[in-house]
Amino acid sequence: MSISFKEKLIEKKVSNVKKVIMVCSGKGGVGKSTVSYALAKAISENGKRVGLLDLDIHGPVEQLFFKVKKGFSGSKEGLKPIFSDGLKVMSLGFLSKDEPIPIKGKYKEEILENLFSEVMWGDLDFLIVDMPPGVSDELFLVSRTLSKKLVAVVVTTPSLLSLSVVRRMIKLLHQEKVKVVGIIENLSYFTCRCGEQVKPFGEGVEELEGEKVIGKLPIDPKLEEALVFSKKIENASIFWSSIKKIAVEVVEEIETYFS
Amino acid sequence: MHEWSLAQAIVESITEAVNKKNSKRVKSLEVEIGSLAMLDKDIIVEAIKILSEGTKLEGAEIKVHEEETKFRCKKCGKIWSFSEVKEELEKNWEDTKIKDEYGTQDLSIHYFPELVFTMMSCPSCGSKDFEILGSKEITIRNVVIEV
């Protein structure tokens, strides 16, 4: 008899995590990482204990949003995540410098498992998982191992190019029986100096595959500076005020669903 | 230094499997440890023994196989072992080491062995397109039970 013990490790490591929010899209470049970080930050500012896991192992970027570059520590029980900015955070970006992370095939599955089986999240109200583009091992691993506490937030842009891919993702989430809390439309519009609302990527939608759009995030010219350079997301006030409202709705939807 | 956590998951997983089969006890098990994850064999064995006390695993013979992790480049065919490159990795990746509660500094491959694909290239042709031969961390096999 051979024994697989990784599932047991995962079970233990997330045992005190109340809910897991998978931020996914299927499409690359729609702002999943930005939305993941901003949601995490906004929810934590409402008094919740929040963790942020970057599951985009080939292109991790969550580390760029934090001032600290180090801070993991080991123990008999596993790896303690970095604690910064009020969040517990794990991203391979902290450990890989600027080198490529060309992990493929079965090794990819194994490192994904290890990201869940090694990191000691402790007590959390929400663990936000920044998913990579595409529908592959990551989605199945998360939906299989964390199904009882898992919900998804889907990110899209208003563009048909994005919506056509996101539609497939929502169908897959339905097939895997993952609760979709809602769709966040990113890069939705900007307000011109003349007061007109401009929608460069199209009108977007109000619902997709039966799931409603719970918020539309405006294009904020200050966002890049606020996120990556000053690392004060509140400096991007247009974006920040919108995501804070969305965060409240996301939490309410989740609490209603699990109540 | 997360050997205790691994040992605990091993003991609980085996105990659950044995209970499902309504077996009396575990007679023996084999633990295969690849060198890449730099796990401490003695701690793992000791931890399994201590954590097994009072379970159907108590007193089981633990056979340990330590294996040198090797790599094979898919481009040029070069085969090399972890011990040949370990010192260089320790030096080049010093700034990403993770300190544990006892002050020991571990390379991140202790927790995520697959990061070796980031940290290392083929010593002959420089390619990242290589595979791992044999065990890279810890595997439990041949759990023999008494029915």
Side-chain angles (χ1 to χ4, degrees), chain A residues 211-224:
Chain A
E211 302 296 348
K212 66 174 180 177
V213 173
I214 54 169
K216 300 201 174 197
L217 290 166
I219 297 167
D220 187 334
K222 291 183 179 166
L223 187 59
E224 174 82 356

Side-chain angles (χ1 to χ4, degrees), chain B residues 6 19 27 29 43-45 72 82 89 102-103 117 120:
Chain B
L6 296 173
N19 285 339
K27 288 167 79 175
L29 68 141
I43 294 178
I44 288 199
V45 172
R72 188 180 73 85
F82 180 57
L89 294 187
Y102 305 105
F117 290 100
M120 185 176 79

Side-chain angles (χ1 to χ4, degrees), chain A residues 117-237:
Chain A
S117 66
E118 295 297 340
V119 182
M120 302 158 60
W121 291 106
D123 295 331
L124 287 182
D125 295 306
F126 296 99
L127 173 63
I128 293 181
V129 184
D130 176 16
M131 300 292 285
V135 282
S136 185
D137 308 84
E138 298 86 352
L139 187 134
F140 292 108
L141 174 75
V142 174
S143 67
R144 189 175 65 238
T145 54
L146 303 169
S147 60
K148 286 177 189 162
K149 45 181 86 174
L150 181 67
V151 296
V153 166
V154 180
V155 182
T156 185
T157 72
S159 164
L160 283 177
L161 298 178
S162 172
L163 291 168
S164 68
V165 179
V166 168
R167 181 186 298 279
R168 295 173 204 266
M169 167 60 88
I170 294 173
K171 283 184 181 176
L172 182 62
L173 291 169
H174 288 166
Q175 284 156 7
E176 295 305 311
K177 301 189 173 39
V178 177
K179 163 71 180 170
V180 178
V181 170
I183 301 164
I184 297 177
E185 187 182 276
N186 192 26
L187 304 172
S188 192
Y189 62 90
F190 66 88
T191 306
C192 179
R193 282 182 188 161
C194 68
E196 188 194 350
Q197 208 173 72
V198 182
K199 297 179 176 175
F201 300 112
E203 288 299 316
V205 292
E206 296 305 320
E207 67 91 31
L208 198 61
E209 292 298 315
E211 302 296 348
K212 66 174 180 177
V213 173
I214 54 169
K216 300 201 174 197
L217 290 166
I219 297 167
D220 187 334
K222 291 183 179 166
L223 187 59
E224 174 82 356
E225 197 285 326
L227 271 178
V228 183
F229 295 100
S230 68
K231 303 191 197 298
K232 286 182 180 168
I233 191 171
E234 56 273 24
N235 288 354
S237 57

